[in-house]
Amino acid sequence: MPFANTEIPGKFQALLAERGIRMTEQRRAILNVIETAKRHLDAGQVLRRARKLEPSIDRSTVYRTLGLLKRHGLIDELDLMHLDGEAHYYERKLNRDHIHLACLRCGKITEFVSDLFESLKEQIENDCQYQIAVARLEIGGCCSNCRT
Amino acid sequence: MPFANTEIPGKFQALLAERGIRMTEQRRAILNVIETAKRHLDAGQVLRRARKLEPSIDRSTVYRTLGLLKRHGLIDELDLMHLDGEAHYYERKLNRDHIHLACLRCGKITEFVSDLFESLKEQIENDCQYQIAVARLEIGGCCSNCRT
DNA sequence: ATCTTAATGCGACAGTGTCGCATTAAGATC
DNA sequence: GATCTTAATGCGACACTGTCGCATTAAGAT
């Protein structure tokens, strides 16, 4: 998935094994797809790609696996301003939260990290007495390419 | 909708009239529902409430009207971390963007404004050369009530 | 009162995501 | 390696959201 690709492939598998979760051919295929994806994929795209590795995989297995990874905090679920239909997109969770900018004209997704974002989250935790589990900042607008 | 309820009821109707958009009984009912709502409503809830004022209203009219209001920048569409199903929630657009905090335990939605958020948006516009149309910051976590 | 055309209701549809249930296979145990 | 327990799978059915085309209705200008 986008951004620093410093993650070790197979990390998901190791992390799930640690927690005593069974590994199946289907899961291996799905994890592989997500770990090696270069862009944000929705559930349907994950299914189609995983089927190339393991043709028997069913739609519901993909949803169940995505749910599993979400519950274990290994992936984040995004809407990306619903640029294309109503599906959700998934990406590996990295050490640092990032902001998603979706160009409403060309559909390009840009990622951005910011210390200000980190400060804002801290402010919220303090001022609102909130314990943040997920923070999703999505921006829709017009990218520089589309304005020139 | 939540927050400072300083808006004049009927404002939507006036704004749409200004732009030469036809007013119908159905639209009046839907606008009324959204303008007087005290919490975030999804399309289905808007439909049910609007039907109490104008029983003939169809589902597709609600969707078309929500689309109209969105296109004219009068309402914002939210996901609220999909606390309940996959529907979208709608709220009157106010002068100032606010952050939505969704408690994953009790489902309570809290709203929060922050200068830091405004600065962050400025930073993004500058650093990324982006023209922001919509900025949606949604946070999932645990509210103070649920932790005591 | 007439006319144009935007807006509506209706029906059909595609897509996403969920669930129950019978079957299969992971991986622990011997 | 064979056996066993139970988690995971595939399948089918389902609910729900959101979209669209089309014939009909009614807004509001004339």
Side-chain angles (χ1 to χ4, degrees):
Chain A
M1 201 118 305
F3 242 46
N5 208 328
T6 55
E7 302 293 317
I8 304 119
K11 198 181 166 192
F12 280 0
Q13 199 170 324
L15 274 164
L16 291 177
E18 262 175 39
R19 301 183 199 186
I21 298 200
R22 280 190 197 172
M23 192 46 51
T24 63
E25 281 310 308
Q26 292 86 339
R27 282 193 178 157
R28 228 185 303 277
I30 294 167
L31 300 190
N32 195 324
V33 165
I34 295 173
E35 286 187 313
T36 63
K38 288 190 184 61
R39 46 185 207 84
H40 303 88
L41 304 176
D42 66 23
Q45 294 166 329
V46 170
L47 174 60
R48 281 193 293 280
R49 292 188 183 202
R51 273 194 168 146
K52 289 185 186 159
L53 305 171
E54 183 63 30
S56 73
I57 294 185
D58 189 70
R59 228 158 54 84
S60 56
T61 299
V62 170
Y63 281 109
R64 287 192 271 237
T65 303
L66 290 172
L68 177 77
L69 296 173
K70 234 192 310 176
R71 279 198 309 282
H72 282 82
L74 302 182
I75 58 172
D76 272 326
E77 188 177 60
L78 310 170
D79 291 296
L80 299 181
M81 293 326 243
H82 301 287
L83 275 177
D84 183 40
E86 302 301 319
H88 294 131
Y89 297 87
Y90 299 90
E91 70 174 2
R92 275 201 311 276
K93 196 167 204 152
L94 302 172
N95 326 339
R96 192 136 182 227
D97 276 345
H98 53 272
I99 299 159
H100 288 95
L101 312 176
C103 178
L104 300 175
R105 208 162 301 179
C106 70
K108 191 182 161 206
I109 305 295
T110 309
E111 308 192 330
F112 183 63
V113 287
S114 162
D115 287 332
L116 230 48
F117 188 34
E118 301 303 317
S119 311
L120 176 55
K121 285 190 291 178
E122 270 175 45
Q123 185 192 38
I124 291 166
E125 294 203 310
N126 293 330
D127 291 14
C128 302
Q129 287 292 307
Y130 231 81
Q131 192 175 305
I132 296 179
V134 206
R136 196 158 75 192
L137 173 49
E138 298 192 355
I139 285 178
C142 190
C143 75
S144 54
N145 266 346
C146 286
R147 264 185 306 149
T148 50
Chain B
M1 203 117 307
F3 242 48
N5 209 328
T6 54
E7 303 290 318
I8 304 119
K11 198 180 167 192
F12 280 0
Q13 199 170 324
L15 275 165
L16 292 176
E18 262 176 38
R19 302 181 199 186
I21 298 203
R22 281 193 196 168
M23 193 45 52
T24 63
E25 281 309 309
Q26 292 86 337
R27 281 191 179 157
R28 229 184 303 275
I30 294 167
L31 301 188
N32 195 323
V33 166
I34 295 174
E35 286 187 313
T36 62
K38 287 188 184 66
R39 47 186 204 84
H40 304 89
L41 303 177
D42 66 25
Q45 293 166 330
V46 171
L47 173 61
R48 280 193 295 280
R49 292 187 182 202
R51 273 194 168 147
K52 289 185 184 159
L53 306 171
E54 183 62 31
S56 72
I57 295 185
D58 189 70
R59 227 156 54 85
S60 57
T61 299
V62 170
Y63 281 110
R64 286 191 273 238
T65 303
L66 290 172
L68 177 78
L69 296 174
K70 234 191 312 177
R71 279 198 308 283
H72 281 82
L74 302 182
I75 58 173
D76 273 325
E77 188 177 59
L78 310 171
D79 290 296
L80 299 183
M81 292 327 248
H82 301 288
L83 275 178
D84 184 39
E86 302 302 317
H88 294 130
Y89 297 87
Y90 300 91
E91 70 174 2
R92 277 200 311 275
K93 196 167 204 151
L94 302 171
N95 326 338
R96 192 134 183 230
D97 276 345
H98 51 273
I99 299 159
H100 288 94
L101 313 177
C103 177
L104 301 175
R105 209 164 299 179
C106 71
K108 191 184 162 206
I109 305 294
T110 308
E111 307 192 329
F112 183 64
V113 288
S114 162
D115 288 331
L116 231 47
F117 187 34
E118 300 304 317
S119 311
L120 176 56
K121 285 190 289 177
E122 272 175 42
Q123 185 193 37
I124 291 166
E125 294 203 310
N126 293 331
D127 291 13
C128 304
Q129 288 291 307
Y130 231 82
Q131 193 174 303
I132 295 179
V134 206
R136 199 159 75 192
L137 174 51
E138 298 191 353
I139 286 177
C142 190
C143 76
S144 55
N145 266 345
C146 286
R147 266 185 306 150
T148 51

